[in-house]
Amino acid sequence: MDSNKKQNNELKSHVISTLVENKPGVLQKVSSLFTRRGGFNIESITVGESETKGLAAMVIISKGDEKVLEQITKQLNKLIDVVKVVDLDPNNSVKRELALIKVKTNNEQARSEIIQHANIFRGKIIDMGPSTLTIEITGDPNKINALISLLTNFGIKKIVRTGPTAIARETIL
């Protein structure tokens, strides 16, 4: 097998940005396309209102080969509720995630160290209990993973993550 064919069959992460009608059932229709197509799993999906009234921005992050991505894109474009589909170039887009992390604070020294770690990663302490701190952090998923790795030694009680969302960068002509 030549290297060109081998590269096309590799599973690669894709960020699929879609503009859809903001109405009930659209998320289900879009996600069902992925379950019907083998070899393509949704790793993350975020949906929210867009800048256009009546439309929502849906960002799907998934791994798959180029052939399956092309099939999914074609199927998405056929859905009546889908206005636009773009496979975002990872080198020309911005990707961010939100995480809330609740960490045990057994003593004042641990509390102080956790606050320092949060500050270094530009996280915010959003809640403080007698034995826990809750940190809010946004950024690249790798940044969030790095903070989680540091906080593991203190004892993480709970993590809630949105999954990444993304937007294309402005192209300069």
Coordinates of all heavy atoms in Angstrom, one line a residue, residues 106-169:
N106 N -7.7 19.4 52.0 CA -7.6 18.8 53.3 C -7.1 19.7 54.4 O -7.3 19.6 55.6 CB -6.8 17.5 53.3 CG -7.4 16.5 52.4 OD1 -8.6 16.4 52.3 ND2 -6.6 15.7 51.8
N107 N -6.3 20.8 53.9 CA -5.7 21.7 54.9 C -5.4 23.0 54.2 O -5.6 23.1 53.0 CB -4.5 21.1 55.5 CG -3.5 20.7 54.5 OD1 -3.1 21.4 53.6 ND2 -3.0 19.4 54.6
E108 N -5.0 24.0 54.9 CA -4.7 25.3 54.4 C -3.6 25.3 53.3 O -3.6 26.0 52.4 CB -4.4 26.3 55.5 CG -5.6 26.9 56.2 CD -6.6 27.5 55.2 OE1 -6.2 28.3 54.4 OE2 -7.8 27.2 55.3
Q109 N -2.6 24.5 53.6 CA -1.4 24.4 52.6 C -1.9 23.8 51.3 O -1.6 24.4 50.2 CB -0.3 23.5 53.2 CG 0.9 23.4 52.2 CD 2.0 22.5 52.7 OE1 2.0 22.1 53.9 NE2 2.9 22.2 51.8
A110 N -2.8 22.8 51.3 CA -3.3 22.2 50.1 C -4.2 23.3 49.4 O -4.1 23.4 48.2 CB -4.1 21.0 50.4
R111 N -5.0 24.0 50.2 CA -5.9 25.0 49.6 C -5.0 26.1 48.9 O -5.3 26.5 47.8 CB -6.7 25.6 50.7 CG -7.8 26.6 50.2 CD -8.6 27.1 51.4 NE -9.5 26.1 52.0 CZ -10.7 25.9 51.7 NH1 -11.4 26.7 50.8 NH2 -11.4 25.0 52.2
S112 N -4.0 26.5 49.5 CA -3.1 27.5 49.0 C -2.4 27.0 47.7 O -2.3 27.7 46.7 CB -2.0 27.9 50.0 OG -1.1 28.8 49.4
E113 N -1.9 25.8 47.7 CA -1.3 25.2 46.5 C -2.3 25.1 45.3 O -1.9 25.4 44.2 CB -0.7 23.8 46.8 CG 0.6 23.9 47.6 CD 1.1 22.5 48.0 OE1 1.2 21.7 47.0 OE2 1.5 22.3 49.1
I114 N -3.5 24.7 45.6 CA -4.5 24.5 44.6 C -4.8 25.9 44.0 O -5.0 26.0 42.7 CB -5.8 23.9 45.1 CG1 -5.5 22.4 45.5 CG2 -6.9 23.9 44.2 CD1 -6.5 21.7 46.4
I115 N -4.9 26.9 44.8 CA -5.2 28.3 44.3 C -4.1 28.7 43.4 O -4.3 29.3 42.4 CB -5.5 29.2 45.5 CG1 -6.8 28.9 46.1 CG2 -5.5 30.7 45.0 CD1 -7.1 29.6 47.4
Q116 N -2.8 28.4 43.8 CA -1.7 28.8 43.0 C -1.7 28.1 41.6 O -1.5 28.7 40.6 CB -0.4 28.4 43.7 CG 0.0 29.4 44.8 CD 1.3 29.0 45.5 OE1 1.7 27.8 45.5 NE2 2.0 30.0 46.0
H117 N -2.0 26.8 41.6 CA -2.1 26.1 40.3 C -3.2 26.7 39.5 O -3.0 26.9 38.3 CB -2.4 24.6 40.6 CG -1.3 23.8 41.1 ND1 0.0 23.9 40.7 CD2 -1.2 22.9 42.1 CE1 0.8 23.1 41.3 NE2 0.0 22.4 42.3
A118 N -4.4 27.0 40.1 CA -5.5 27.6 39.3 C -5.0 28.9 38.7 O -5.3 29.2 37.5 CB -6.7 27.8 40.2
N119 N -4.3 29.7 39.5 CA -3.9 31.0 39.0 C -2.9 30.9 37.8 O -2.9 31.7 36.9 CB -3.2 31.9 40.1 CG -4.3 32.4 41.1 OD1 -5.5 32.5 40.8 ND2 -3.9 32.6 42.3
I120 N -2.0 30.0 37.9 CA -1.0 29.8 36.9 C -1.7 29.4 35.6 O -1.2 29.9 34.5 CB 0.0 28.7 37.3 CG1 1.0 29.2 38.4 CG2 0.9 28.2 36.1 CD1 1.8 28.1 39.1
F121 N -2.7 28.6 35.6 CA -3.5 28.2 34.4 C -4.6 29.2 34.1 O -5.4 28.9 33.2 CB -4.0 26.8 34.6 CG -3.0 25.7 34.5 CD1 -2.2 25.4 35.5 CD2 -2.8 25.1 33.2 CE1 -1.2 24.4 35.4 CE2 -1.8 24.1 33.1 CZ -1.0 23.8 34.2
R122 N -4.6 30.3 34.7 CA -5.7 31.3 34.5 C -7.1 30.8 34.8 O -8.0 31.2 34.2 CB -5.6 31.9 33.1 CG -4.3 32.7 32.9 CD -4.4 33.5 31.6 NE -3.1 34.2 31.4 CZ -2.3 34.0 30.4 NH1 -2.6 33.1 29.5 NH2 -1.2 34.6 30.3
G123 N -7.1 29.9 35.8 CA -8.4 29.4 36.3 C -9.0 30.3 37.3 O -8.2 31.1 37.9
K124 N -10.3 30.2 37.6 CA -10.9 31.0 38.7 C -11.5 30.1 39.7 O -12.1 29.1 39.4 CB -12.0 31.8 38.1 CG -11.7 32.8 37.0 CD -12.9 33.5 36.5 CE -12.6 34.3 35.2 NZ -13.8 34.8 34.6
I125 N -11.3 30.5 41.0 CA -12.0 29.8 42.0 C -13.4 30.3 42.1 O -13.7 31.5 42.3 CB -11.3 30.0 43.4 CG1 -9.9 29.7 43.4 CG2 -12.1 29.3 44.5 CD1 -9.5 28.2 43.0
I126 N -14.4 29.5 41.8 CA -15.8 29.9 41.7 C -16.7 29.5 42.9 O -17.8 30.0 43.1 CB -16.5 29.5 40.4 CG1 -16.5 28.0 40.2 CG2 -15.8 30.2 39.2 CD1 -17.4 27.5 39.1
D127 N -16.1 28.6 43.7 CA -16.9 28.1 44.9 C -15.9 27.6 45.9 O -14.9 26.9 45.5 CB -17.9 27.1 44.5 CG -18.8 26.8 45.7 OD1 -19.4 27.7 46.2 OD2 -19.0 25.6 46.0
M128 N -16.2 27.8 47.1 CA -15.3 27.4 48.2 C -16.1 26.8 49.3 O -17.1 27.4 49.8 CB -14.5 28.6 48.8 CG -13.4 28.2 49.7 SD -12.4 29.6 50.2 CE -11.7 30.3 48.7
G129 N -15.9 25.5 49.6 CA -16.6 24.9 50.7 C -15.6 24.6 51.8 O -14.4 24.9 51.7
P130 N -16.0 24.0 52.9 CA -15.1 23.7 54.0 C -14.0 22.7 53.7 O -12.9 22.8 54.2 CB -16.1 23.0 55.1 CG -17.4 23.3 54.6 CD -17.4 23.6 53.2
S131 N -14.3 21.8 52.7 CA -13.2 20.9 52.3 C -13.0 20.7 50.8 O -12.4 19.8 50.4 CB -13.6 19.5 52.9 OG -14.8 19.0 52.3
T132 N -13.5 21.7 50.1 CA -13.4 21.7 48.6 C -13.2 23.1 48.0 O -13.6 24.0 48.6 CB -14.5 21.0 47.9 OG1 -15.7 21.7 48.1 CG2 -14.7 19.5 48.3
L133 N -12.6 23.1 46.8 CA -12.5 24.3 46.0 C -13.0 23.9 44.6 O -12.7 22.8 44.2 CB -11.1 24.8 45.8 CG -10.4 25.5 47.0 CD1 -9.0 25.8 46.6 CD2 -11.1 26.8 47.3
T134 N -13.8 24.8 44.0 CA -14.2 24.5 42.6 C -13.6 25.5 41.7 O -13.7 26.7 42.0 CB -15.8 24.5 42.5 OG1 -16.4 23.6 43.4 CG2 -16.2 24.2 41.1
I135 N -12.9 25.0 40.7 CA -12.2 25.8 39.7 C -12.9 25.8 38.4 O -13.4 24.8 37.9 CB -10.8 25.3 39.6 CG1 -10.0 25.2 40.9 CG2 -10.0 26.1 38.5 CD1 -8.8 24.4 40.9
E136 N -13.0 27.0 37.8 CA -13.5 27.2 36.4 C -12.3 27.5 35.6 O -11.5 28.4 35.9 CB -14.5 28.3 36.4 CG -14.9 28.7 35.0 CD -15.7 30.0 34.9 OE1 -16.7 30.0 35.6 OE2 -15.3 30.9 34.2
I137 N -12.1 26.7 34.5 CA -11.0 26.9 33.6 C -11.5 26.8 32.1 O -12.3 25.9 31.8 CB -9.8 26.0 33.8 CG1 -8.6 26.3 32.9 CG2 -10.2 24.5 33.8 CD1 -7.4 25.6 33.2
T138 N -11.0 27.7 31.3 CA -11.3 27.6 29.9 C -10.0 27.7 29.1 O -9.0 28.2 29.6 CB -12.2 28.8 29.4 OG1 -11.5 30.0 29.6 CG2 -13.6 28.8 30.1
G139 N -10.0 27.1 28.0 CA -8.8 27.1 27.1 C -8.7 25.9 26.3 O -9.7 25.1 26.1
D140 N -7.6 25.7 25.7 CA -7.3 24.5 24.9 C -7.5 23.2 25.7 O -7.1 23.2 26.9 CB -5.9 24.6 24.3 CG -5.5 23.5 23.4 OD1 -5.8 23.6 22.2 OD2 -5.0 22.5 23.9
P141 N -8.0 22.2 25.2 CA -8.2 20.9 26.0 C -6.9 20.4 26.6 O -6.9 19.9 27.7 CB -8.7 20.0 24.9 CG -9.5 20.8 24.0 CD -8.7 22.1 23.9
N142 N -5.7 20.6 25.9 CA -4.5 20.2 26.5 C -4.1 21.0 27.8 O -3.5 20.4 28.7 CB -3.3 20.4 25.5 CG -3.5 19.4 24.3 OD1 -4.0 18.3 24.5 ND2 -3.1 19.8 23.1
K143 N -4.5 22.3 27.8 CA -4.2 23.1 29.0 C -5.1 22.6 30.2 O -4.6 22.4 31.3 CB -4.6 24.5 28.7 CG -4.6 25.5 29.9 CD -5.1 26.9 29.4 CE -5.5 27.7 30.6 NZ -6.1 29.0 30.2
I144 N -6.3 22.2 29.9 CA -7.2 21.7 30.9 C -6.7 20.4 31.4 O -6.7 20.1 32.6 CB -8.7 21.6 30.4 CG1 -9.2 23.0 30.1 CG2 -9.6 20.9 31.3 CD1 -10.5 23.1 29.4
N145 N -6.3 19.5 30.5 CA -5.7 18.2 30.9 C -4.5 18.4 31.8 O -4.3 17.6 32.8 CB -5.4 17.4 29.7 CG -6.6 16.9 28.9 OD1 -7.7 16.9 29.5 ND2 -6.4 16.6 27.7
A146 N -3.6 19.4 31.5 CA -2.4 19.6 32.3 C -2.8 20.0 33.7 O -2.2 19.6 34.7 CB -1.6 20.7 31.6
L147 N -3.8 20.9 33.9 CA -4.3 21.3 35.2 C -4.9 20.1 36.0 O -4.5 19.9 37.1 CB -5.3 22.5 35.1 CG -5.8 22.9 36.5 CD1 -4.7 23.4 37.4 CD2 -6.9 24.0 36.3
I148 N -5.7 19.4 35.3 CA -6.3 18.2 35.9 C -5.2 17.2 36.4 O -5.3 16.7 37.5 CB -7.3 17.5 35.0 CG1 -8.5 18.3 34.8 CG2 -7.6 16.1 35.5 CD1 -9.4 17.9 33.7
S149 N -4.2 17.1 35.6 CA -3.0 16.2 36.0 C -2.4 16.7 37.3 O -2.1 15.9 38.2 CB -2.0 16.2 34.9 OG -0.9 15.3 35.2
L150 N -2.2 18.0 37.4 CA -1.6 18.6 38.6 C -2.5 18.4 39.8 O -2.0 18.2 41.0 CB -1.3 20.0 38.4 CG 0.0 20.4 37.6 CD1 0.0 21.9 37.4 CD2 1.2 19.9 38.3
L151 N -3.8 18.6 39.6 CA -4.8 18.5 40.7 C -5.1 17.1 41.2 O -5.6 16.9 42.3 CB -6.1 19.2 40.3 CG -5.9 20.7 40.0 CD1 -7.3 21.3 39.5 CD2 -5.4 21.5 41.2
T152 N -4.7 16.1 40.4 CA -5.0 14.7 40.8 C -4.4 14.4 42.1 O -5.0 13.6 42.9 CB -4.5 13.8 39.6 OG1 -5.2 14.1 38.4 CG2 -4.8 12.3 40.0
N153 N -3.3 14.9 42.4 CA -2.6 14.5 43.7 C -3.3 15.0 44.9 O -3.2 14.5 46.0 CB -1.2 15.1 43.7 CG -0.3 14.5 42.6 OD1 -0.5 13.3 42.3 ND2 0.7 15.2 42.1
F154 N -4.2 16.0 44.7 CA -4.9 16.6 45.9 C -6.2 15.8 46.1 O -6.8 15.8 47.2 CB -5.3 18.1 45.6 CG -4.1 18.9 45.6 CD1 -3.5 19.3 44.3 CD2 -3.5 19.4 46.7 CE1 -2.4 20.1 44.3 CE2 -2.4 20.2 46.7 CZ -1.8 20.6 45.5
G155 N -6.7 15.1 45.0 CA -8.0 14.4 45.1 C -9.1 15.1 44.4 O -9.6 16.1 45.0
I156 N -9.4 14.8 43.2 CA -10.5 15.4 42.5 C -11.8 14.7 42.8 O -11.9 13.5 42.7 CB -10.2 15.4 41.0 CG1 -9.0 16.2 40.6 CG2 -11.4 15.8 40.2 CD1 -8.5 16.1 39.2
K157 N -12.7 15.5 43.3 CA -14.0 15.0 43.6 C -15.0 14.9 42.4 O -15.8 13.9 42.3 CB -14.7 15.8 44.7 CG -13.9 15.7 46.1 CD -14.7 16.3 47.2 CE -15.9 15.7 47.5 NZ -16.1 14.8 48.7
K158 N -14.9 15.9 41.5 CA -15.8 15.9 40.4 C -15.2 16.7 39.3 O -14.6 17.8 39.5 CB -17.1 16.5 40.8 CG -18.2 16.5 39.8 CD -18.9 15.2 39.8 CE -20.2 15.3 38.9 NZ -20.8 14.1 38.6
I159 N -15.4 16.3 38.0 CA -15.0 17.1 36.8 C -16.2 17.1 35.9 O -16.8 16.1 35.6 CB -13.8 16.5 36.1 CG1 -12.6 16.4 37.0 CG2 -13.5 17.3 34.8 CD1 -11.4 15.7 36.3
V160 N -16.5 18.3 35.4 CA -17.5 18.5 34.4 C -16.9 19.3 33.3 O -16.4 20.4 33.5 CB -18.8 19.2 34.9 CG1 -19.9 19.3 33.9 CG2 -19.3 18.5 36.2
R161 N -17.0 18.7 32.1 CA -16.4 19.4 30.9 C -17.4 19.6 29.8 O -18.2 18.7 29.6 CB -15.2 18.6 30.4 CG -14.0 18.5 31.3 CD -12.9 17.6 30.9 NE -12.1 18.3 29.9 CZ -10.8 17.9 29.6 NH1 -10.3 16.9 30.2 NH2 -10.1 18.6 28.7
T162 N -17.3 20.7 29.1 CA -18.2 21.0 28.0 C -17.9 20.2 26.7 O -18.7 20.0 25.9 CB -18.3 22.5 27.6 OG1 -17.0 22.9 27.2 CG2 -18.7 23.3 28.8
G163 N -16.6 19.9 26.6 CA -16.1 19.4 25.3 C -15.7 20.7 24.5 O -16.3 21.7 24.7
P164 N -14.8 20.5 23.6 CA -14.3 21.7 22.9 C -15.4 22.2 21.9 O -16.2 21.5 21.4 CB -13.1 21.1 22.1 CG -12.8 19.8 22.7 CD -14.0 19.3 23.3
T165 N -15.3 23.5 21.7 CA -16.0 24.2 20.6 C -15.0 25.0 19.8 O -13.9 25.2 20.3 CB -17.2 25.0 21.2 OG1 -18.0 25.4 20.1 CG2 -16.7 26.3 21.9
A166 N -15.3 25.3 18.6 CA -14.3 26.0 17.8 C -15.0 27.0 16.8 O -16.2 26.9 16.6 CB -13.6 24.9 17.0
I167 N -14.1 27.8 16.3 CA -14.5 28.8 15.3 C -13.3 29.1 14.4 O -12.2 29.0 14.8 CB -14.9 30.1 16.0 CG1 -15.6 31.1 15.0 CG2 -13.8 30.8 16.7 CD1 -16.3 32.2 15.7
A168 N -13.6 29.3 13.1 CA -12.5 29.5 12.1 C -11.9 30.9 12.4 O -12.6 31.8 12.9 CB -13.1 29.5 10.7
R169 N -10.6 31.0 12.2 CA -9.9 32.3 12.3 C -10.3 33.1 11.0 O -10.6 32.5 10.0 CB -8.4 32.1 12.3 CG -7.9 31.4 13.5 CD -6.4 31.4 13.5 NE -5.8 30.6 14.5 CZ -5.6 31.0 15.8 NH1 -5.8 32.2 16.1 NH2 -5.1 30.2 16.7

